Amino acid sequence: MKIKIELYCPHCHRTKVKKNGKKHSGKQTYLCKHCGRQFTGDHALDYKGCHSSIIKRILLMMVRGIGVRNISVIEGISVVKILSVLVKSYY
Ligand SMILES: [Zn+2]
């Protein structure tokens, strides 16, 4: 059985990426052909706070009235990450 994972660059959101070796931890890294940034796929991340769509989900839950500590428990991320997203969203 073949499993296909759609990968896109977390910086410019384009799908033209290529494999770019592995980290010393053994995780596959990718290189964006458009902006030249290197990244690890969302499927291989240990900490969910680095996930590419986490900022969108945090802001959605903020708008819906869920508190910072509740979001931290629901998403499994730190309170500091949520507060940093909140601060950056004002600029
Ligand atoms: Zn890119």
Side-chain angles (χ1 to χ4, degrees), residues 30-79:
Y30 299 91
L31 185 74
C32 177
K33 286 184 178 176
H34 182 255
C35 66
R37 293 210 182 191
Q38 184 180 319
F39 61 95
T40 307
D42 283 341
H43 59 281
L45 293 175
D46 289 331
Y47 178 56
K48 289 181 181 177
C50 302
H51 202 272
S52 61
S53 65
I54 194 74
I55 293 173
K56 201 174 168 185
R57 289 206 302 272
I58 289 172
L59 291 175
L60 178 67
M61 283 195 264
M62 284 278 184
V63 169
R64 301 294 290 179
I66 301 173
V68 172
R69 290 181 197 284
N70 288 333
I71 296 172
S72 172
V73 172
I74 291 167
E75 291 289 343
I77 57 178
S78 71
V79 172

Side-chain angles (χ1 to χ4, degrees), residues 9 11-12 32 35:
C9 174
H11 306 286
C12 64
C32 177
C35 66

Side-chain angles (χ1 to χ4, degrees), residues 74-87:
I74 291 167
E75 291 289 343
I77 57 178
S78 71
V79 172
V80 176
K81 170 67 182 180
I82 298 165
L83 293 177
S84 75
V85 170
L86 187 63
V87 168

